[in-house]
Amino acid sequence: MSGRPRIIFVDDEPSVLSGLRRQLWERRSHWDMEFAPGGAEALAYLEAAPADVVVSDMRMPEMDGAALLEQVRQHWPSTVRILLTGYT
């Protein structure tokens, strides 16, 4: 492990994940980041190695952000959970 915070970003839109990756490029020496295209993939990343933070979009097919973050809360309660949405 690097000792850096591990953050998983979750969004079903490839362009959003790509934009996040570009915007956060300069933070790569400070954070270990993963970019998951959906809830199932994010859970697989967490199974492989716990994360300090999960940042998820709300509206995604199959598993919305609230359902994902509820599973994160149940299985990894010390992980900080952040839900993002463009909807009111």
Side-chain angles (χ1 to χ4, degrees), residues 52-71:
D52 298 291
V53 181
V54 174
V55 180
S56 179
D57 182 29
M58 176 59 187
R59 296 187 75 177
M60 297 184 294
E62 296 167 29
M63 180 186 307
D64 68 20
L68 167 61
L69 295 183
E70 176 58 24
Q71 287 195 37

Side-chain angles (χ1 to χ4, degrees), residues 30-43:
H30 302 280
W31 301 338
D32 288 332
M33 295 176 276
E34 299 219 47
F35 300 86
E41 293 86 355
L43 292 172

Side-chain angles (χ1 to χ4, degrees), residues 2-85:
S2 68
R4 297 181 300 228
R6 182 165 183 254
I7 305 170
I8 300 174
F9 296 91
V10 188
D11 199 299
D12 64 311
E13 294 289 332
S15 61
V16 171
L17 290 179
S18 178
L20 283 168
R21 188 175 277 119
R22 276 191 316 276
Q23 291 293 320
L24 298 170
W25 180 253
E26 292 181 8
R27 302 299 304 168
R28 71 189 183 282
S29 63
H30 302 280
W31 301 338
D32 288 332
M33 295 176 276
E34 299 219 47
F35 300 86
E41 293 86 355
L43 292 172
Y45 289 164
L46 286 161
E47 288 287 340
D52 298 291
V53 181
V54 174
V55 180
S56 179
D57 182 29
M58 176 59 187
R59 296 187 75 177
M60 297 184 294
E62 296 167 29
M63 180 186 307
D64 68 20
L68 167 61
L69 295 183
E70 176 58 24
Q71 287 195 37
V72 173
R73 184 190 68 77
Q74 290 175 8
H75 298 284
W76 299 275
S78 64
T79 298
V80 174
R81 300 165 307 276
I82 299 171
L83 186 63
L84 299 177
T85 183

